[in-house]
Amino acid sequence: MAPRGSADVIDDEDLLERCVLHGDRAAFATLAGRHRERVLGVCQLVVGGHTAVQAAATAALRDVWRLLEGGGPVPSSARALFVRGAVRRALAAADQAGAGEADATATGAALRRLAPRDRAVLALCDVAGLTAEEAAAALGEPPRQVRARAVRARRELAALLAASPPAPGHSQPSQDPSPSPAPASSPSSSP
């Protein structure tokens, strides 16, 4: 059995307990490292631009630490705690940024056209893998509303993607099926 002091083998709930009861910064650093990509993914989907994503993710991690340090109400799941912090900060950043920085991909551009709360639901359910109930808790909405919002957002995203032009550098095949004319032969090449 691994020693209890080794943060690499301690599960998230034990690390959460260490943070809440003892203010253990090393335990928090381990938790933050484990959940960083999820926090960034949620922020990326909701906010968009790189600078705003980084700022929202950093603020979310800082908020989570402050909550743990202050002994506030903590969900039983570390995943839910970090995702909830990411969603709150990402929604605030999206409200401040408006449409956000331009996104070069068709998917990114289509996502930017969805409402921030719709992007948040997709981030929670489809990126972070939360259930509708967990997403509802993070958003402060009833689970039924989250399910309906997810269906609507997926449908709208699919329609936007279907209507979007091809990405730069990806041309559509020519619609003209006629063959190209053969190059004319020069008189000097005939026998």
Side-chain angles (χ1 to χ4, degrees), residues 43-55:
C43 291
Q44 176 65 44
L45 190 56
V46 176
V47 180
H50 177 74
T51 304
V53 167
Q54 294 298 321

Side-chain angles (χ1 to χ4, degrees), residues 38-111:
R38 180 174 286 119
V39 168
L40 284 169
V42 168
C43 291
Q44 176 65 44
L45 190 56
V46 176
V47 180
H50 177 74
T51 304
V53 167
Q54 294 298 321
T58 299
L61 293 174
R62 187 176 52 244
D63 290 350
V64 170
W65 171 250
R66 286 180 179 155
L67 176 71
L68 293 172
E69 189 178 46
V74 177
S76 61
S77 160
R79 178 180 70 166
L81 175 67
F82 281 92
V83 168
R84 183 178 297 165
V87 165
R88 287 185 178 151
R89 280 302 183 155
L91 284 172
D95 287 344
Q96 289 176 351
E101 298 171 22
D103 195 319
T105 67
T107 304
L111 282 166

Side-chain angles (χ1 to χ4, degrees), residues 11-179:
D11 67 19
D12 283 0
E13 285 65 33
D14 286 342
L15 289 168
L16 270 177
E17 183 179 314
R18 285 179 175 202
C19 291
V20 172
L21 297 178
H22 308 291
D24 188 335
R25 287 184 181 265
F28 179 75
T30 300
L31 279 173
R34 288 180 185 175
H35 295 279
R36 184 176 191 280
E37 290 302 315
R38 180 174 286 119
V39 168
L40 284 169
V42 168
C43 291
Q44 176 65 44
L45 190 56
V46 176
V47 180
H50 177 74
T51 304
V53 167
Q54 294 298 321
T58 299
L61 293 174
R62 187 176 52 244
D63 290 350
V64 170
W65 171 250
R66 286 180 179 155
L67 176 71
L68 293 172
E69 189 178 46
V74 177
S76 61
S77 160
R79 178 180 70 166
L81 175 67
F82 281 92
V83 168
R84 183 178 297 165
V87 165
R88 287 185 178 151
R89 280 302 183 155
L91 284 172
D95 287 344
Q96 289 176 351
E101 298 171 22
D103 195 319
T105 67
T107 304
L111 282 166
R112 297 283 78 65
R113 293 181 62 192
L114 295 177
R117 278 203 161 306
D118 290 348
R119 292 193 309 258
V121 166
L122 293 179
L124 292 172
C125 296
D126 297 343
V127 175
L130 298 184
T131 66
E133 289 73 19
E134 291 169 323
L139 291 167
E141 296 179 0
R144 184 179 199 174
Q145 185 175 346
V146 168
R147 284 187 206 89
R149 187 184 296 276
V151 168
R152 186 176 58 247
R154 289 180 192 118
R155 199 173 290 145
E156 185 177 349
L157 181 60
L160 288 168
L161 288 172
S164 68
H170 294 90
S171 61
Q172 291 189 357
S174 171
Q175 300 297 324
D176 184 12
S178 61

